[in-house]
Amino acid sequence: PYTTMIKINTFALLLAATSSSQAFTASHTTSASNQIATVELSMKASPDEWIESRRKFISSASSALAAVSIVPILSPFPATASGGATAGKYTTIPIAKRRYYGRVQEAVHEFLLMAPAVIKGDLTDPTVQDFFDVTKTIVIEGKKKDINGVCTKKDGDCKSTDIYDSRYNDMKTSMYLLGNAFRYNQTKAPDNLPTVKAAKAFFKQMNLFERKVLKNPKTNDQEAKVIYAKALDLLDEYLDLVELPPTESGHYDQEFSTLVGETSRIT
């Protein structure tokens, strides 16, 4: 019995020490101390009373330990977000560059190809007409529908179908989406971003130019030259904001791949 009392007292002391943690209040500590005194007094009682007292103590101690194990679950630390990997500054802009840099640069390349004809005022030139022709440019390449060369379609039509549009329409789409990615928070509306404002200013001038090309193209349109020159200045402002070289740099003398995801670099 003496050895048993030492073991029980040791167990009770451990319980009292645990009770002093944040998971318990002062009342729990007092309760544990009272239980120690109860066990010591029970040793002076009869064997039956001592056994009954020990059972009550063990039952109480088991409940207390179960409460200690539950507390961390009921009171977890507040969740926090690191932000680093999810900040738009580090993910949205690089992804947008991979998606739209090629399309924007190819559009600028074809826009500059019109310059010699525009300087002459000739809006009937093929380079000018093709830029606004909705049947000239493949904006989405068709995907094969067969499986390992075998057509499984019920109608037997597994031919890929390309989607066409004008280079100018694709330029408007890609410039807007690229400009919208150059944000450092989600509180500002897209139309309030400097990049989107610059893109829309360019579109406004080019829409005027497009109407001249499509409705009544002339071979000596002096007003078209003025519109084109204004659009060129606005385009340079946009390119600077989206971290692309200016039109006079010679960078756009080459053709560009418009495929998604090749690179976010301009070289």
Side-chain angles (χ1 to χ4, degrees), residues 59-208:
S59 177
S60 176
S62 299
S63 299
L65 287 175
V68 171
S69 63
I70 292 174
V71 167
I73 300 175
L74 298 178
S75 304
F77 290 106
T80 57
S82 64
T86 58
K89 180 178 180 182
Y90 301 110
T91 57
T92 303
I93 294 176
I95 290 173
K97 286 179 178 180
R98 287 194 293 271
R99 287 179 176 175
Y100 308 120
Y101 255 11
R103 290 165 62 183
V104 171
Q105 290 177 105
E106 176 60 24
V108 174
H109 166 70
E110 295 186 26
F111 172 83
L112 295 176
L113 288 180
M114 295 190 294
V118 174
I119 291 173
K120 293 186 296 183
D122 187 5
L123 301 187
T124 64
D125 189 275
T127 58
V128 179
Q129 290 291 320
D130 289 351
F131 190 75
F132 298 98
D133 190 342
V134 295
T135 65
K136 277 289 183 180
T137 302
I138 298 176
V139 293
I140 300 177
E141 294 184 357
K143 295 181 179 180
K144 294 182 179 179
K145 300 177 182 179
D146 60 84
I147 301 176
N148 296 327
V150 179
C151 182
T152 59
K153 297 289 184 181
K154 291 183 178 180
D155 57 4
D157 183 11
C158 286
K159 295 181 179 179
S160 61
T161 304
D162 297 328
I163 298 177
Y164 290 82
D165 203 346
S166 69
R167 177 58 67 193
Y168 175 54
N169 284 340
D170 187 64
M171 185 182 197
K172 288 192 290 185
T173 301
S174 55
M175 282 179 63
Y176 178 86
L177 293 173
L178 177 61
N180 187 38
F182 276 76
R183 57 169 65 242
Y184 295 92
N185 61 68
Q186 299 298 322
T187 60
K188 185 174 289 189
D191 290 347
N192 293 331
L193 296 172
T195 48
V196 174
K197 287 183 177 180
K200 286 193 169 185
F202 170 76
F203 301 156
K204 185 177 180 180
Q205 286 297 314
M206 285 303 295
N207 288 342
L208 297 175

